[in-house]
Amino acid sequence: MSSASKASTAPSSQALPRSRFEMVEVTARLCQRLGMPKSTGQIYGLLFLSVHPLSLEEIAEALGLSKASASTGTRHLIGWHAIRQVWKPGDRKDYYEVQADLGDVLRANYLGFFKPKLDAASRKLVVLQELLDADLQSGAIQNEEHTVGRERLQSIARMHSRIQKVLPFAEKLL
Amino acid sequence: MSSASKASTAPSSQALPRSRFEMVEVTARLCQRLGMPKSTGQIYGLLFLSVHPLSLEEIAEALGLSKASASTGTRHLIGWHAIRQVWKPGDRKDYYEVQADLGDVLRANYLGFFKPKLDAASRKLVVLQELLDADLQSGAIQNEEHTVGRERLQSIARMHSRIQKVLPFAEKLL
DNA sequence: CAGTTCGTTCAATTTGCACTGAACAGATAG
DNA sequence: CTATCTGTTCAGTGCAAATTGAACGAACTG
């Protein structure tokens, strides 16, 4: 336990330096814009400018979050390979620090998240083509609708394959 | 008014073909994952497999939405250059159709949305560096924190410039 | 000039999701 | 074994964003 213990819901008992505070805000907004919880972004920003790994409770207190939020947030970030857990010998707490190499983060997310989505999209595209054919067979759509639909789905497919051609390049360069 | 008029909140008085219905679901989920309103995605999916441009009311009725939602949704999509308005001579209604070339859509959004964000991020990075220096001056942070912070911010800057090098390439290829 | 037919805007409601406090489970120490 | 310290899970709460109905304004029509 620390000596000072007055703040309850306040951001922290000891305010963050402005650079740290601003960083937390930036990453929070970024996360929010990406459709992710704001608190998760705050955690990343806090850890990003932290010299030492921080424990769950330190994170929660510094940001004025509950332990629960800190726990879910850190696990999200770990899932995206943005931070990682570290342990100190003789200490049962979990500590967290940012993954230093941003290139690794992007690569890992490409391989573990984006790439699978692309493949799934590819399969879905095939399914849609089949549904379109089936609708033609059953008379649910006319010939013209079938033709136009097929054409548009193929334009997605072309774009899709072009993206798959480009991404591995980008992956290497980052 | 059409002849049949039983459905009130039902998706539509006449069910969509399966291919169309599935397409609407796919784009709806995609939009939602990107943090955009689901209804906007539905509209895009509907228009994507539509042979003719559709009016606001047709969209609203086919998807079981209010005219209000259809109106805001279409204007969002227009803002992203995903669809466009067309008019039929002697008809006061607005009609909407998908922008055929997906490459154009991506390029337009890169130039009008993503690129400016990247530039803003670049400026923000400079501000953060300055704040970090100021915190060192004022004694808010130690020398070590300043060094580590500077290093990490620079790693973002490097990644940032690499991305800016790669993106124009990708832009051409799509 | 009324009377329609459009699209948009706005207040009010609903929906969905982040966040929380409390209960829980696992591990360690005494 | 009991007691304590850790992180996680879960039902409940609150808030922000989406959606809607109704009012509005603009553009035609007769």
Side-chain angles (χ1 to χ4, degrees):
Chain A
M1 246 187 251
S2 65
S3 50
S5 59
K6 269 186 289 188
S8 54
T9 51
S12 81
S13 54
Q14 166 185 344
L16 294 169
R18 271 214 72 199
S19 55
R20 210 109 171 259
F21 182 83
E22 199 73 18
M23 186 70 192
V24 168
E25 262 213 339
V26 168
T27 51
R29 269 198 296 268
L30 178 64
C31 261
Q32 213 168 12
R33 191 165 301 233
L34 294 172
M36 303 161 182
K38 181 182 63 175
S39 63
T40 304
Q42 295 180 49
I43 294 171
Y44 185 76
L46 181 71
L47 291 176
F48 193 86
L49 287 186
S50 177
V51 178
H52 319 289
L54 298 180
S55 70
L56 261 195
E57 213 164 3
E58 286 172 324
I59 293 172
E61 210 229 344
L63 297 174
L65 298 174
S66 65
K67 256 194 316 175
S69 289
S71 177
T72 62
T74 50
R75 264 175 314 115
H76 279 163
L77 290 169
I78 288 174
W80 307 329
H81 305 90
I83 67 174
R84 62 179 166 190
Q85 259 173 326
V86 296
W87 294 273
K88 300 185 178 180
D91 190 337
R92 281 164 48 204
K93 291 182 187 172
D94 298 344
Y95 289 87
Y96 302 91
E97 67 179 8
V98 291
Q99 178 71 300
D101 192 328
L102 286 180
D104 287 348
V105 176
L106 292 185
R107 268 185 294 275
N109 280 318
Y110 168 66
L111 289 175
F113 181 80
F114 209 72
K115 181 80 158 38
K117 292 290 177 197
L118 279 182
D119 296 346
S122 207
R123 284 192 297 275
K124 192 73 193 180
L125 220 45
V126 174
V127 171
L128 283 170
Q129 292 269 18
E130 290 168 357
L131 283 176
L132 201 69
D133 294 346
D135 280 343
L136 178 64
Q137 296 295 328
S138 72
I141 62 174
Q142 314 276 45
N143 228 311
E144 192 187 6
E145 300 175 81
H146 178 261
T147 306
V148 170
R150 192 160 188 84
E151 200 173 292
R152 300 224 173 119
L153 288 178
Q154 279 179 358
S155 83
I156 296 186
R158 280 194 298 273
M159 176 63 60
H160 193 274
S161 79
R162 258 175 282 174
I163 289 176
Q164 283 187 325
K165 289 277 192 293
V166 170
L167 273 182
F169 267 95
E171 191 202 347
K172 305 290 181 194
L173 288 175
L174 302 180
Chain B
M1 243 189 252
S2 63
S3 51
S5 61
K6 271 185 290 187
S8 57
T9 52
S12 82
S13 54
Q14 168 185 343
L16 294 169
R18 272 213 71 198
S19 56
R20 211 105 171 262
F21 182 82
E22 198 74 18
M23 185 70 190
V24 168
E25 262 214 337
V26 168
T27 51
R29 268 198 296 266
L30 179 63
C31 260
Q32 213 167 12
R33 190 166 301 236
L34 294 172
M36 303 159 181
K38 182 181 63 177
S39 62
T40 304
Q42 294 180 51
I43 294 172
Y44 185 77
L46 180 71
L47 291 176
F48 193 86
L49 288 186
S50 176
V51 177
H52 320 289
L54 297 181
S55 70
L56 262 196
E57 212 165 4
E58 287 171 324
I59 294 171
E61 210 229 345
L63 297 174
L65 299 173
S66 64
K67 258 193 314 176
S69 288
S71 177
T72 62
T74 49
R75 263 175 315 116
H76 278 163
L77 289 169
I78 288 174
W80 306 330
H81 305 89
I83 68 174
R84 62 180 167 190
Q85 258 173 328
V86 297
W87 294 274
K88 299 185 178 180
D91 190 336
R92 282 163 47 204
K93 292 183 188 171
D94 297 345
Y95 290 87
Y96 302 91
E97 67 179 7
V98 291
Q99 177 70 293
D101 192 327
L102 286 180
D104 287 347
V105 176
L106 291 184
R107 267 185 296 273
N109 281 316
Y110 167 66
L111 289 175
F113 181 80
F114 208 72
K115 181 81 160 36
K117 294 290 177 198
L118 278 182
D119 297 345
S122 207
R123 285 192 298 276
K124 192 73 193 179
L125 219 45
V126 174
V127 172
L128 282 170
Q129 291 268 18
E130 290 168 358
L131 283 176
L132 201 68
D133 295 344
D135 280 343
L136 178 64
Q137 297 293 329
S138 72
I141 61 174
Q142 313 277 44
N143 228 311
E144 192 188 5
E145 298 175 83
H146 179 261
T147 307
V148 170
R150 192 159 188 85
E151 200 172 293
R152 300 222 173 122
L153 288 178
Q154 279 179 358
S155 83
I156 296 186
R158 280 193 297 273
M159 176 63 59
H160 193 274
S161 77
R162 259 175 282 174
I163 290 176
Q164 281 188 325
K165 289 276 193 292
V166 170
L167 271 183
F169 267 95
E171 190 201 348
K172 305 289 181 194
L173 287 175
L174 301 180

